[in-house]
Amino acid sequence: MSKSVNAVDGEAISDLNLTTEQLVEFYEKMYTIQRFDTETAKLYQQNLIQGAVHSYVGQEAVAVGACSALRQGDYISSTHRGHGHCLAKGLDPKRMLAEILGRRTGYCKGKGGSMHIADLDRGILGANGIVGGGIGVATGAAFTARYKKLDFVSLCFFGDGALHQGIFHECADMASLWKLPVIYLSEYNCFAEFTHSVKTFPHLNLEKRAEPYGFPGYRIDGNDVLLVYKTVKQAVDRARRGEGPALIVATCYRLEGHYIGDPLTYRTREETEEARTKEPVSAYRRRLLKNEIAGEEILWKIEAKVQKTIQEAIDFALSSPEPETDELFTDVYATPEIQTLLLKGKK
Amino acid sequence: MAVRELSYRDAIKEALFEEMRRDPNVFCIGEDIARFGGPMKVTEGLLQEFGEERVVDTPIAEAGFVGIGVGAAMTGLRPVVEVMYNDFLLLAMDQIINQAAKASYMFGGKCKMPIVVRTHAGAGRGNAAQHSQSLWMLFVHLPGVIVMAPSTPADAKGLLKSAIRADSPTLFFENKLIYGMKGPVPEGEHLVPIGKADIKRRGKDVTIVSTSRMTVFALGAAEKLAAEGIDVEIVDPRTLKPLDLDTVLESVRKTKRVVIVDEGCRTGGFTAEVAARIMDEALDYLDAPMARVATEDTPIPYCRKLELEAFPQERDIIAAVKKLA
Ligand SMILES: Cc1ncc(C[n+]2csc(CCOP(=O)(O)OP(=O)(O)O)c2C)c(N)n1
């Protein structure tokens, strides 16, 4: 059942049933993610951000292709490298950056940070600090869909590293048994922290990991946003019809380090430059031009607009207040009465 | 024995080198520990000297490689397993608690379990709720494991060497904020006995019992308090389980006042355990109620301002001591 899907080329774009606006919007979203994480890295280097920031640069096509195949009411779960997923699913760069800067205007009131951005209202079940941590969560959301007979699906983003975690195998087993509407989307970005992913797997036919559980697995070029869209759309439609999960392994390349500031001692510049020639955002830009879907002026306009949006996000985040000290104790429990007991017990 | 200054990181590294040279059954296993030299660079150079057989990089599969460590320990090897953050121990809990901790007892004393699980705890780096906890109490609670949380380079070296030689499973908690901190470390065969506290500062007015990085803070607090005429004694248990209660009690009986400081959460935390033990054995000696300084009962928040409110700081220790003195 597992297969490699070929690139969507030239005329085949028309088979995707996407409007010109949608095709151009894909570019806008990818460019937004690229600019967002590039500017975030700069803020980090200026010591304005604490902790760790994991850049999504180089993987934009996966998030945008996948989230574009989802509806508003569908769920995603994300990872430590989650800015791209959240932006592609529709989060506001302002509140995201505020969160990354630890401000109370952020999505988690400044208490989550880069690795924990979440917005249940937008279907984002949270970025996650634990490798594989979102797999149970996304599978559980799919369980809810089936239980309540609702037609939403849930899409679980994770790195290739999470394919090693036991929870992937346990959830894949149950998701298949109960035909849960969940799509497991593994981004094979060539690295797990400071190790080439290829050194961590006994073989690289990772899509075959779906086979023993009895659902389809695909391996695709994750630099091709349209191919990602097409493959995820098929899997989503199938899941929505009640036919169960799918595994998609999207191959791409992590152009930045594991985190911003990573000394990158474990890879060569040549290797990265080679990968950069396939960089998905500019590749898609060239494709829009070549297929005359958009002209330079339109793209320039979009780029200017995105740059403005990101600048506004930076200004918003930097001028936002930090949380008040007593907010340390808020929201430990979602049950107000229990929260009251906690505060009473404190002093 | 010659003594030189080493960082906490290099002291741990030295223990690993020495024990691996001494005993061919000792091996290291964990994520990014070999080729990359460890995310915290503790294992740097081990691969070059000991090779891939004995310095093993793993995929991201904590339950799996901790489990492999448990099985290897049962069958004659002496694994030193690195779990990148102590927060990820939670993925391997069954292996540690149900398998390793109980094997000696369940199997009627026929099973040795010489596994050391090294990891790091601690808040203060803006790593938010899933990368900043101090989770040793989960293990202190359990019969069958040894739990260590060294606060100095010398203790780190000496305890790790003892742990590697012990036939019982040891959880070895480093602290992520003090890897660069330097201190005197004896060369060569420096062993710190398991279950032996150390008096880090002698004093007569108030006893501070502190663990891990909190001992570093307590020493800083002691300097400031000394300037105000308060002379504190600092007892660092070093091994949290089994606990060297005698040294704690001796100090408390002398000073008659005690502040217990620990980076774990307050409720059911290490401070609670130590306080209960002091109450059992030395309540009559106390001239003031015991004080506890611990992490608030909240997850560790991301925003730095809140993070520094969440876990104990030097100022909190000073305030607690002053209230008693
Ligand atoms: C359970 C767990 N183990 C280890 C880590 C430390 N860690 C953070 S990211 C990472 C690599 C993840 O690789 P992958 O899943 O491929 O995602 P990528 O970083 O490549 O996006 C590791 C080992 C963690 N966060 N959680």
Side-chain angles (χ1 to χ4, degrees):
Chain A
M1 264 200 288
S2 40
K3 49 203 145 218
S4 275
V5 180
N6 292 322
V8 183
D9 44 17
E11 13 350 320
I13 291 179
S14 57
D15 299 342
L16 292 172
N17 284 326
L18 289 166
T19 64
T20 304
E21 288 73 44
Q22 283 172 309
L23 288 166
V24 174
E25 203 191 337
F26 283 10
Y27 178 70
E28 179 171 338
K29 286 196 167 153
M30 287 168 71
Y31 188 70
T32 303
I33 294 170
Q34 188 189 62
R35 292 311 316 158
F36 184 91
D37 264 1
T38 304
E39 292 303 322
T40 301
K42 286 189 200 156
L43 294 170
Y44 189 88
Q45 276 149 354
Q46 293 164 45
N47 273 331
L48 290 166
I49 299 174
Q50 62 193 53
V53 163
H54 307 87
S55 171
Y56 197 68
V57 168
Q59 304 177 217
E60 296 87 344
V62 183
V64 172
C67 289
S68 302
L70 298 176
R71 296 180 187 160
Q72 179 87 30
D74 292 335
Y75 284 100
I76 66 166
S77 71
S78 172
T79 69
H80 57 286
R81 202 175 299 290
H83 302 169
H85 309 144
C86 292
L87 287 166
K89 189 72 169 72
L91 288 200
D92 178 357
K94 282 198 177 94
R95 292 189 60 200
M96 277 182 60
L97 202 52
E99 186 58 41
I100 294 166
L101 286 169
R103 306 303 163 104
R104 68 191 302 204
T105 51
Y107 275 105
C108 314
K109 304 178 191 167
K111 288 154 96 170
S114 166
M115 274 197 287
H116 302 293
I117 298 174
D119 184 7
L120 279 290
D121 298 334
R122 283 262 167 192
I124 295 167
L125 300 164
N128 213 306
I130 302 299
V131 169
I135 296 177
V137 172
T139 311
F143 186 91
T144 301
R146 186 174 155 279
Y147 186 95
K148 292 193 162 182
K149 303 194 169 37
L150 297 173
D151 74 345
F152 69 79
V153 304
S154 106
L155 184 141
C156 181
F157 286 105
F158 50 89
D160 50 271
L163 282 173
H164 300 292
Q165 286 285 351
I167 191 160
F168 168 72
H169 299 273
E170 298 184 20
C171 284
D173 198 28
M174 286 181 275
S176 187
L177 178 66
W178 298 326
K179 297 233 178 313
L180 302 183
V182 55
I183 290 89
Y184 299 112
L185 177 40
S186 177
E187 296 179 68
Y188 186 94
N189 67 1
C190 297
F191 296 94
E193 290 214 331
F194 320 109
T195 297
H196 283 87
S197 303
V198 59
K199 298 207 168 107
T200 69
F201 291 105
H203 64 74
L204 285 183
N205 300 324
L206 300 176
E207 74 283 4
K208 288 219 161 79
R209 294 191 175 209
E211 220 168 79
Y213 302 112
F215 54 83
Y218 308 92
R219 181 152 39 112
I220 60 171
D221 175 4
N223 283 329
D224 181 344
V225 65
L226 297 181
L227 179 60
V228 175
Y229 171 81
K230 183 179 153 186
T231 315
V232 174
K233 184 82 170 55
Q234 275 172 11
V236 164
D237 289 347
R238 184 176 173 279
R240 235 190 272 286
R241 287 195 302 269
E243 292 168 32
L247 169 66
I248 299 167
V249 180
T251 305
C252 49
Y253 190 91
R254 192 193 74 200
L255 283 169
E256 297 294 331
H258 172 53
Y259 43 65
I260 302 303
D262 175 350
L264 293 171
T265 47
Y266 49 88
R267 71 186 194 189
T268 64
R269 195 180 290 267
E270 293 73 53
E271 174 196 325
T272 309
E273 287 319 310
E274 159 70 23
R276 205 180 292 283
T277 60
K278 299 178 200 133
E279 188 278 310
V281 185
S282 49
Y284 188 58
R285 191 184 197 280
R286 288 194 297 275
R287 199 158 163 198
L288 289 178
L289 290 170
K290 183 168 148 252
N291 289 284
E292 295 178 354
I293 294 163
E296 282 285 4
E297 290 91 297
I298 292 179
L299 297 179
W300 285 333
K301 253 196 209 148
I302 288 173
E303 284 153 5
K305 180 178 138 200
V306 168
Q307 279 165 23
K308 187 157 166 280
T309 305
I310 301 299
Q311 189 54 51
E312 283 167 5
I314 295 172
D315 297 341
F316 173 82
L318 284 173
S319 62
S320 288
E322 290 193 313
E324 297 295 334
T325 305
D326 57 10
E327 286 177 55
L328 173 60
F329 296 98
T330 57
D331 300 317
V332 177
Y333 295 95
T335 319
E337 304 81 63
I338 303 196
Q339 181 67 30
T340 312
L341 293 178
L342 167 79
L343 296 179
K344 214 169 90 189
K346 228 204 103 223
K347 273 286 125 71
Chain B
M1 230 183 299
V3 175
R4 61 274 102 103
E5 292 270 312
L6 282 188
S7 67
Y8 190 79
R9 168 186 294 110
D10 287 342
I12 298 166
K13 189 186 298 177
E14 187 165 275
L16 293 171
F17 268 103
E18 289 178 7
E19 292 307 297
M20 289 184 75
R21 282 178 197 147
R22 190 186 57 78
D23 181 350
N25 286 326
V26 177
F27 73 101
C28 291
I29 183 167
E31 292 162 20
D32 274 322
I33 66 157
R35 279 184 296 265
F36 189 68
M40 290 297 179
K41 295 288 173 192
V42 173
T43 50
E44 195 153 51
L46 290 179
L47 175 69
Q48 288 67 25
E49 177 163 341
F50 300 104
E52 289 184 350
E53 307 269 294
R54 297 184 65 197
V55 189
V56 184
D57 272 332
T58 68
I60 311 167
E62 286 79 5
F65 67 76
V66 172
I68 285 170
V70 173
M74 281 173 91
T75 49
L77 299 183
R78 306 191 87 85
V80 181
V81 184
E82 176 171 317
V83 171
M84 203 182 284
Y85 283 70
N86 79 158
D87 314 70
F88 313 155
L89 285 174
L90 300 175
L91 285 89
M93 268 328 227
D94 176 67
Q95 298 307 315
I96 299 169
I97 296 176
N98 282 324
Q99 312 307 328
K102 298 169 176 44
S104 169
Y105 187 84
M106 281 192 307
F107 302 157
K110 290 202 199 72
C111 180
K112 292 185 176 157
M113 189 56 70
I115 179 175
V116 178
V117 180
R118 287 182 43 241
T119 186
H120 62 68
R125 255 195 4 173
N127 288 147
Q130 294 173 341
H131 288 72
S132 306
Q133 302 169 91
S134 294
L135 292 175
W136 41 73
M137 232 14 221
L138 301 180
F139 304 92
V140 170
H141 182 63
L142 289 161
V145 288
I146 298 168
V147 182
M148 297 173 172
S151 67
T152 67
D155 286 351
K157 175 179 173 183
L159 282 173
L160 182 55
K161 283 170 71 84
S162 297
I164 291 171
R165 297 180 193 191
D167 283 333
S168 302
T170 304
L171 273 295
F172 189 85
F173 288 91
E174 297 157 19
N175 178 288
K176 62 172 75 64
L177 272 297
I178 59 175
Y179 279 115
M181 184 187 74
K182 290 198 164 175
V185 181
E187 266 173 31
E189 196 68 353
H190 164 63
L191 296 171
V192 171
I194 297 171
K196 184 82 193 89
D198 188 37
I199 300 189
K200 296 295 181 195
R201 184 184 196 280
R202 300 243 169 223
K204 59 179 181 359
D205 297 331
V206 179
T207 297
I208 297 178
V209 179
S210 57
T211 63
S212 188
R213 188 179 179 215
M214 292 302 121
T215 296
V216 180
F217 284 8
L219 285 163
E223 289 305 306
K224 294 186 179 136
L225 289 161
E228 299 186 36
I230 304 172
D231 185 20
V232 303
E233 176 149 304
I234 299 174
V235 180
D236 182 344
R238 306 191 286 190
T239 308
L240 309 189
K241 181 169 193 160
L243 177 66
D244 175 6
L245 194 60
D246 290 345
T247 305
V248 172
L249 293 176
E250 202 178 307
S251 177
V252 171
R253 286 183 184 130
K254 181 176 77 178
T255 63
K256 308 196 180 340
R257 292 177 163 79
V258 61
V259 175
I260 310 156
V261 194
D262 179 70
E263 207 180 322
C265 284
R266 185 187 310 278
T267 298
F270 189 69
T271 58
E273 174 61 22
V274 173
R277 302 286 288 273
I278 294 172
M279 200 189 72
D280 288 346
E281 307 279 340
L283 189 59
D284 294 348
Y285 289 84
L286 292 178
D287 283 349
M290 290 181 272
R292 298 199 277 145
V293 181
T295 292
E296 300 290 354
D297 287 324
T298 76
I300 301 293
Y302 170 72
C303 165
R304 183 156 186 81
K305 176 177 160 194
L306 296 189
E307 185 184 25
L308 293 177
E309 294 291 325
F311 73 103
Q313 304 297 313
E314 193 181 284
R315 57 162 197 253
D316 302 315
I317 302 174
I318 292 175
V321 170
K322 279 188 174 174
K323 251 175 102 178
L324 292 193

